[in-house]
Amino acid sequence: MTQVPNPRVCIIGAGVAGLTSARYLQEEGISFTVLEATRYVGGTWRYDPRVGTDENGLPLHTSMYKHLRTNLPKPTMELNGFPLPKEAPSFMKWETVYKYIQDYVKHFDLEKNIKFLHNVILISREENLWKVKHQNVVTGEQFEDEYDFIFVGTGHFNKPNYPDIPGEEMFTGTIIHSHDFKESHTYKDRRVLIVGAGPSGLDIAIDVANVSKALIHSHHSKAPFKTVFPENYKKKPDIKEFNATGVVFEDGSYEDIDDVIYCTGYQYYYPFLDKSCEVEWRQECVMPLHHRMVNINQPTMLFLGAIVKACIFVALDAQARYAAALAAGRFTLPTKEKMLEEWNKQVEEIRSKERPLADLHVLGDKEDDYYASLTAESGIARVPRHMIKIHKMLLRTMFQDLYTFRDYVYTIVDDENVTCTLETENTYL
């Protein structure tokens, strides 16, 4: 990729991915504009009691629910060079995180470069430039601007993924996706089915179990959870089919159900990308990407936040530093052939294990290797290894008890070491 002098960068979205990108581009002295379809910063971290569409007819992208507390501890939720308040607890309510994001915008004076209420309609590649069509969602006026780089920062927590289960159309109860879950009191004394055991599925199951008559949890997770759930909780396998009043499961058992909450994840969704962008997005993946970020066919387009199973704030900050360094010409990408070769190796490894292509976006136990590779290629500061240790400690306490894992406090000793203690007693893990 040839270095671009005085590049102009378009950032799509003013969530954490877009805001961290804006901060580092600003530090590099690079011209940029953030296009944000709403009137707010913070993306999914802003709670909105509404579902469906907003006042301008656009889909509500936030997936926040009223009583959410982070499932990652404080050190992993801190953006580089901008400490969280000392008084903030180890596991914070969404309000604390959202206020922190707002303070981040003010501290780095980012709002001046954000065009609020501008929805991106189309991105295309013409004559070595990116053309971005966007619309003022209030006036309807359309604009087209030219850029040298595109940073797609819309994340992947806004387009719900619904399963396709036989008989669903016959069911007379309510069905929602966790994207539209707001608070548990709606389900008081109801028979509720939760589908899925990812972070949202587990969190919502515990929340709803406190008020529901029965909590039926359908999932096939093999995670070694030891949590003792309340008497109204019942674990079930995958769903075979619906009928008018309930669900038949794969083991042949049946449960009467009033309400269903699908906690079945999200789709990658970039309807504004033209074919000239030369990137393929499906509901389960985006490809081909170098470092799960750089569009290999058009490497001046980067996707930030298209990763899963990671310390997401830490990962977004690292990706934003990498992306800004690339736009500034501080390093050179490998050749297209080399990037494709590496990407094809990843695909073959996944297929050899008969795993879905969604695994292309998973960091998981390779998270530390990922940060090391970003540093090795770009020269950005290395994410400290204690972040990975925190993540491993967290998983251990989470598997032990979903009700108490947020009672632990994580203290960073140095770049390599962390202590994990209960708030009521000192226990080194």
Side-chain angles (χ1 to χ4, degrees):
M1 186 183 80
T2 305
Q3 184 173 343
V4 180
N6 303 313
R8 298 155 296 173
V9 182
C10 181
I11 302 171
I12 315 299
V16 175
L19 296 172
T20 49
S21 297
R23 175 230 175 141
Y24 291 117
L25 287 172
Q26 184 169 269
E27 290 181 359
E28 292 283 1
I30 293 173
S31 172
F32 69 92
T33 300
V34 182
L35 297 177
E36 168 56 47
T38 74
R39 61 181 76 247
Y40 310 99
V41 298
T44 198
W45 284 96
R46 183 184 66 85
Y47 172 73
D48 194 316
R50 300 172 296 177
V51 297
T53 55
D54 66 12
E55 67 276 14
N56 298 307
L58 292 179
L60 282 160
H61 293 311
T62 176
S63 300
M64 196 55 49
Y65 42 94
K66 190 173 183 179
H67 299 298
L68 180 136
R69 287 175 67 197
T70 62
N71 59 8
L72 288 170
K74 185 176 176 178
T76 68
M77 299 295 295
E78 197 167 84
L79 295 170
N80 190 42
F82 190 68
L84 275 155
K86 289 183 179 180
E87 65 273 15
S90 188
F91 291 84
M92 299 168 287
K93 295 181 179 179
W94 71 264
E95 293 98 326
T96 304
V97 179
Y98 187 57
K99 175 66 163 54
Y100 172 70
I101 294 170
Q102 291 176 309
D103 290 345
Y104 183 90
V105 172
K106 291 177 184 176
H107 179 79
F108 292 106
D109 192 23
L110 302 178
E111 195 166 302
K112 66 181 182 292
N113 289 99
I114 303 174
K115 285 189 176 180
F116 292 103
L117 299 170
H118 276 254
N119 186 44
V120 174
I121 300 170
L122 182 69
I123 298 178
S124 57
R125 184 73 171 166
E126 297 180 33
E127 297 178 356
N128 292 323
L129 286 172
W130 294 107
K131 294 200 172 182
V132 180
K133 289 183 181 179
H134 52 103
Q135 182 177 42
N136 183 307
V137 299
V138 176
T139 67
E141 186 178 3
Q142 292 191 13
F143 307 84
E144 184 174 82
D145 301 308
E146 294 181 345
Y147 296 94
D148 300 294
F149 282 84
I150 300 289
F151 291 3
V152 182
T154 53
H156 63 102
F157 294 117
N158 52 59
K159 179 71 171 176
N161 182 52
Y162 285 89
D164 183 13
I165 301 174
E168 185 183 294
E169 71 284 354
M170 299 168 55
F171 183 61
T172 55
T174 71
I175 298 178
I176 68 165
H177 190 275
S178 59
H179 176 70
D180 292 330
F181 175 80
K182 298 302 175 182
E183 49 187 314
S184 60
H185 77 80
T186 308
Y187 300 98
K188 183 173 175 57
D189 299 325
R190 307 278 288 178
R191 296 166 299 186
V192 184
L193 170 64
I194 304 282
V195 182
S200 294
L202 294 169
D203 213 28
I204 293 173
I206 287 175
D207 195 10
V208 173
N210 289 330
V211 300
S212 62
K213 179 179 180 180
L215 194 289
I216 314 301
H217 198 179
S218 168
H219 69 85
H220 50 253
S221 172
K222 295 179 180 178
F225 292 108
K226 299 178 181 179
T227 302
V228 178
F229 291 98
E231 291 184 359
N232 65 335
Y233 176 96
K234 189 181 292 186
K235 162 75 171 66
K236 287 289 182 178
D238 290 349
I239 301 169
K240 182 179 180 181
E241 61 186 5
F242 281 90
N243 63 25
T245 57
V247 169
V248 178
F249 298 93
E250 291 289 355
D251 62 359
S253 62
Y254 172 81
E255 294 287 341
D256 285 320
I257 301 294
D258 297 315
D259 308 286
V260 178
I261 305 173
Y262 285 135
C263 300
T264 46
Y266 293 84
Q267 300 180 13
Y268 291 96
Y269 188 64
Y270 307 103
F272 47 81
L273 297 182
D274 182 83
K275 287 184 178 179
S276 60
C277 297
E278 295 188 82
V279 65
E280 180 182 355
W281 59 270
R282 308 176 185 177
Q283 67 177 46
E284 75 276 15
C285 67
V286 187
M287 55 188 187
L289 298 183
H290 175 59
H291 287 318
R292 299 169 174 83
M293 184 174 20
V294 180
N295 175 357
I296 294 175
N297 291 321
Q298 294 288 352
T300 52
M301 172 178 279
L302 293 90
F303 294 79
L304 292 92
I307 48 175
V308 294
K309 294 187 179 179
C311 298
I312 191 63
F313 274 43
V314 173
L316 288 175
D317 191 273
Q319 287 190 329
R321 286 185 284 125
Y322 174 99
L326 179 64
R330 294 190 176 278
F331 70 97
T332 302
L333 289 168
T335 64
K336 179 179 178 179
E337 291 73 23
K338 185 68 176 175
M339 290 190 289
L340 278 174
E341 180 184 349
E342 181 58 35
W343 182 79
N344 282 320
K345 283 182 182 177
Q346 295 174 23
V347 172
E348 287 306 312
E349 182 182 355
I350 288 169
R351 286 177 171 161
S352 69
K353 296 177 181 177
E354 298 183 342
R355 297 289 301 160
L357 287 177
D359 280 11
L360 285 167
H361 298 281
V362 172
L363 294 188
D365 58 7
K366 296 181 179 179
E367 186 174 3
D368 192 53
D369 294 339
Y370 180 70
Y371 299 141
S373 66
L374 293 185
T375 295
E377 186 171 285
S378 69
I380 63 170
R382 175 78 158 80
V383 170
R385 288 180 172 84
H386 62 236
M387 290 298 176
I388 308 306
K389 292 193 174 184
I390 290 174
H391 210 171
K392 289 180 179 179
M393 289 178 177
L394 170 72
L395 290 174
R396 196 187 317 172
T397 58
M398 189 181 289
F399 290 149
Q400 192 66 35
D401 194 339
L402 290 166
Y403 284 94
T404 63
F405 79 90
R406 290 184 175 93
D407 295 338
Y408 288 87
V409 175
Y410 295 78
T411 305
I412 296 170
V413 178
D414 52 41
D415 281 357
E416 297 284 342
N417 298 296
V418 179
T419 59
C420 174
T421 58
L422 275 170
E423 290 184 310
T424 55
E425 61 182 69
N426 293 325
T427 307
Y428 187 83
L429 294 182

